[in-house]
Amino acid sequence: MTNPLFLKVAFLCVFQLLLISKPHASEAFATRHLVINSSKVILPRSNELPSCEIYCRGELLHTVQMAHLFKDSKTFVDMKLKKPPSETIEIFKNFMQSKNNAPNVTDIQNFVNDNFEDRGKEFVSWTPDDWHENPRFVNLIRNENLKKFANDLNGIWKILGRKMIDDVYEHPELYSIIPVPNPVIVPGGRFIEFYYWDSYWVIRGLLYSQMHHTARGMLSNFLSIIQRYGFIPNGGRVYYSKRSQPPLLAAMIKSYVEFTHDEQFAIDAVPTLAAEFEYFVDTHMVEVNGHKLAVYRDSSVGPRPESYREDFENAMIFDTPEKKQEFYSNIAAGAESGMDFSSRWFINGNGTNEGNLTDIKCRDIVAVDLNAILYWNAKLIAEFYLLDNNIEKATEYETKAAKILEAIEAVLWNEEVGVWLDYDLINKKPRNYFVPTNLSPLWAKAFNRKDTKKISESVLKYLRDLKIDKYPGGIPNTLQQSGEQWDFPNAWPPTQYVVIQGLENLQTPEAKDMSKSLAYKWVQSNYQAFVTTKAMHEKYDASVFGGTGGGGEYETQLGFGWSNGLVIELLVKYGDEITPANGVSKTSVMALITVTTIAVMASVFG
Ligand SMILES: *[C@@H]1O[C@H](CO)[C@@H](O)[C@H](O)[C@H]1NC(C)=O
Ligand SMILES: *[C@@H]1O[C@H](CO)[C@@H](O)[C@H](O)[C@H]1NC(C)=O
Ligand SMILES: *[C@@H]1O[C@H](CO)[C@@H](O)[C@H](O)[C@H]1NC(C)=O
Ligand SMILES: *[C@@H]1O[C@H](CO)[C@@H](O)[C@H](O)[C@H]1NC(C)=O
């Protein structure tokens, strides 16, 4: 009988030793070393697990994915190996030879059946040990229907809990999952592993639900991943390991400390957070008019393994390997942004956002949100160093934050439009298209306090002119209808939060008013959708009250981690007065009363 905890520790230690003794072949990785923590453990920056041989690239992946055995390409790369990767590769080589390098679909199906097990083998369902039947926040909600809604949402945490089986720690090479020590809350649907930026809203929801231990476990997982990989991959799979996602770990840890006052956790984490920050600075920066700013980008080659056939087929319109690779890189960069996909990342020949996915140029667009989040990271890292009385490091990171803020103001703030805008590096111009992340500096507090009044006025005017506050089902992600899932009319939880919390952070009465009415609308529309569909969705429809989202690469998914987290947070905030359908704010109630009074008076005196 082996103790599972022992296995985990042994796995992590052996893995670290492997990394130390056998640097990865890739020169870029082998020559760079990270000092990870205060005990000065030095790890090569490598992100290759042995199972990458099967799941990240190569002839086997190509052959199976192009055979279109499964409706969703992600299914295959989530299947478990029956034999170790090198042995499987040998079997595959013999298989190909025996079929004269031209196996038919039945042959390939048989090969997969013989050598792989069903997907989802790495996890078992897990009821979090700190789950509460009646979390305190529910009592703050006055309306009985919404109280029931909140209880239902709290119940979903149990459905989304996953724990890795011991075999993953014993035989990580048989799985595409990235092993982590603690159980996780997954988003739901096809997303059966943890995701990076989703976890920000999941963890806040868990904290409000008093599930501090589960939240802490997920944070520790992420820290352990940075210690092994140098950064946090998009999601918990080896095939995601050449790209990240909006880097929100520092902000997650800040949330955790706010709820638990466990400052030591932040102090212990800060060198690792600094390593992640430096990873972005080292690998994602471009220069614009003498300022350094970040773009989303990845370091993979070829199609995304989890959407291999789709990427490969879309690349067919490009006639050279270089152009194909440029497309793959931009696709992967778009995936790193979390907005996969959107006209936000399209630059066509005439420099506009019209066109289709083949116009994706994400690597050539300076994203407002990424820079705002990096500023936020630098500020939080400085704050955590200060908790540890490390004045020198705190000052260093304050300086880094100030530099990023300067760059955001110089390049991304647009005086004419009155908001921040993404910047097109090809045509050297701002991209004047609505995306909620245009307001992300408000969320990350990446703006100058002394300009608050002016920014509040211009940002509110920007939103009102575009009638962004008038959509019945929330804030659309863009105003462009391309058929991609991060375009009109879809409305997504994380970007609702960017605007709702961003306006709140401005603290002016007008901005707080709009924040509140957007928050009400979101909760009420989500509630309506929950009543009609009996489920929480990953995305919604801004154009319909209670409408759910569609479009994009895959079927719409239920669950759903970030949706639940966001509604819980908004219910905590407004639970004492919100009801299922009083979409009208106090001011419009007054307006309504006035209109009614005039109408009554008119009928009496008319
Ligand atoms: C596929 O090829 C195998 C031989 O490798 C053959 O027996 C089988 O009939 C073929 N199936 C189809 C559907 O062509
Ligand atoms: C630093 O690394 C050592 C050795 O791997 C480990 O025991 C320790 O927990 C790590 N410390 C932190 C703060 O991650
Ligand atoms: C830009 O190009 C697209 C095709 O890629 C075309 O549909 C659109 O009309 C053009 N817009 C302008 C302003 O020229
Ligand atoms: C996407 O745009 C390209 C270039 O304008 C065009 O050749 C291609 O047919 C379009 N694809 C689709 C699916 O519309």
Side-chain angles (χ1 to χ4, degrees), residues 50-313:
S51 67
C52 232
E53 238 190 297
I54 305 288
Y55 298 109
C56 303
R57 70 184 93 80
E59 203 54 34
L60 191 161
L61 179 72
H62 179 83
T63 306
V64 174
Q65 292 293 49
M66 294 312 291
H68 200 176
L69 301 179
F70 308 99
K71 192 159 167 248
D72 186 338
S73 293
K74 187 172 181 298
T75 305
F76 172 63
V77 285
D78 292 348
M79 292 172 86
K80 188 201 159 190
L81 281 166
K82 289 184 179 171
K83 303 183 193 74
S86 48
E87 212 177 313
T88 309
I89 297 276
E90 274 313 303
I91 296 170
F92 176 72
K93 278 184 187 152
N94 294 335
F95 161 75
M96 290 300 277
Q97 258 169 20
S98 75
K99 305 289 173 194
N100 293 320
N101 285 319
N104 63 31
V105 173
T106 317
D107 298 331
I108 298 170
Q109 181 73 66
N110 289 336
F111 169 80
V112 170
N113 293 347
D114 291 347
N115 292 285
F116 291 82
E117 290 180 36
D118 284 351
R119 72 184 203 130
K121 290 280 182 190
E122 55 279 311
F123 280 121
V124 287
S125 291
W126 167 73
T127 303
D129 46 19
D130 53 354
W131 184 81
H132 292 266
E133 179 87 46
N134 292 302
R136 280 190 294 271
F137 85 86
V138 175
N139 299 329
L140 302 173
I141 303 164
R142 218 171 274 180
N143 179 276
E144 285 306 318
N145 291 330
L146 292 180
K147 204 184 265 265
K148 170 86 175 42
F149 184 32
N151 263 321
D152 289 342
L153 294 179
N154 181 54
I156 297 175
W157 294 135
K158 289 198 290 188
I159 299 169
L160 298 177
R162 296 287 183 282
K163 185 174 159 27
M164 283 180 192
I165 60 170
D166 291 344
D167 193 53
V168 171
Y169 305 111
E170 284 175 81
H171 296 293
E173 74 280 3
L174 299 180
Y175 300 85
S176 63
I177 200 78
I178 296 173
V180 287
N182 305 301
V184 297
I185 300 292
V186 301
R190 79 198 277 268
F191 303 110
I192 55 173
E193 52 288 297
F194 55 89
Y195 281 81
Y196 186 7
W197 76 315
D198 292 65
S199 298
Y200 178 77
W201 291 275
V202 168
I203 282 174
R204 290 186 67 82
L206 292 174
L207 291 167
Y208 282 114
S209 308
Q210 291 160 261
M211 294 167 65
H212 298 177
H213 188 245
T214 300
R216 185 192 172 99
M218 289 178 71
L219 296 173
S220 299
N221 287 347
F222 283 134
L223 291 168
S224 109
I225 289 176
I226 298 176
Q227 291 173 6
R228 284 177 281 156
Y229 284 68
F231 69 97
I232 298 173
N234 183 141
R237 295 277 174 185
V238 293
Y239 54 74
Y240 289 139
S241 65
K242 303 284 188 196
R243 63 178 194 250
S244 189
Q245 249 188 348
L248 289 168
L249 180 60
M252 294 179 212
I253 291 180
K254 172 71 177 171
S255 300
Y256 176 75
V257 174
E258 279 173 351
F259 276 83
T260 61
H261 309 292
D262 180 2
E263 293 184 347
Q264 192 57 45
F265 190 83
I267 292 171
D268 292 343
V270 70
T272 309
L273 293 174
E276 187 198 31
F277 177 87
E278 297 305 335
Y279 162 80
F280 271 90
V281 170
D282 288 354
T283 54
H284 284 62
M285 295 314 235
V286 293
E287 203 169 303
V288 190
N289 306 333
H291 296 278
K292 288 217 165 67
L293 284 158
V295 296
Y296 289 108
R297 61 161 62 134
D298 90 316
S299 60
S300 62
V301 176
R304 288 169 302 155
E306 78 283 10
S307 302
Y308 192 98
R309 183 177 47 82
E310 293 84 340
D311 287 357
F312 189 88
E313 286 173 357

Side-chain angles (χ1 to χ4, degrees), residues 16 37-39 41 227 268 272:
Q16 297 199 351
N37 67 21
S38 38
S39 53
V41 177
Q227 291 173 6
D268 292 343
T272 309

Side-chain angles (χ1 to χ4, degrees), residues 373-484:
I373 292 168
L374 287 176
Y375 165 84
W376 194 7
N377 274 315
K379 289 291 284 187
L380 290 172
I381 291 166
E383 183 184 326
F384 298 163
Y385 271 126
L386 209 55
L387 290 176
D388 199 22
N389 295 316
N390 190 336
I391 311 288
E392 191 189 327
K393 281 283 179 192
T395 313
E396 182 188 328
Y397 277 88
E398 281 293 348
T399 310
K400 290 177 195 240
K403 277 239 165 68
I404 302 174
L405 181 57
E406 212 180 288
I408 289 175
E409 286 179 340
V411 180
L412 304 178
W413 172 256
N414 193 293
E415 190 68 34
E416 215 173 307
V417 183
V419 76
W420 297 268
L421 295 173
D422 295 335
Y423 186 85
D424 171 347
L425 292 165
I426 297 176
N427 300 290
K428 303 202 184 339
K429 64 174 192 193
R431 284 172 62 85
N432 187 8
Y433 306 112
F434 174 75
V435 206
T437 47
N438 286 350
L439 277 70
S440 55
L442 300 178
W443 172 44
K445 299 188 181 160
F447 64 96
N448 217 318
R449 283 274 157 204
K450 70 174 175 16
D451 300 333
T452 300
K453 195 163 172 290
K454 180 193 135 190
I455 293 173
S456 177
E457 278 166 16
S458 74
V459 162
L460 289 174
K461 181 172 184 320
Y462 173 72
L463 294 175
R464 290 202 177 105
D465 286 353
L466 293 173
K467 301 191 168 26
I468 297 302
D469 54 335
K470 295 289 183 250
Y471 291 94
I475 303 162
N477 203 60
T478 68
L479 300 177
Q480 184 86 358
Q481 196 153 11
S482 73
E484 296 300 339

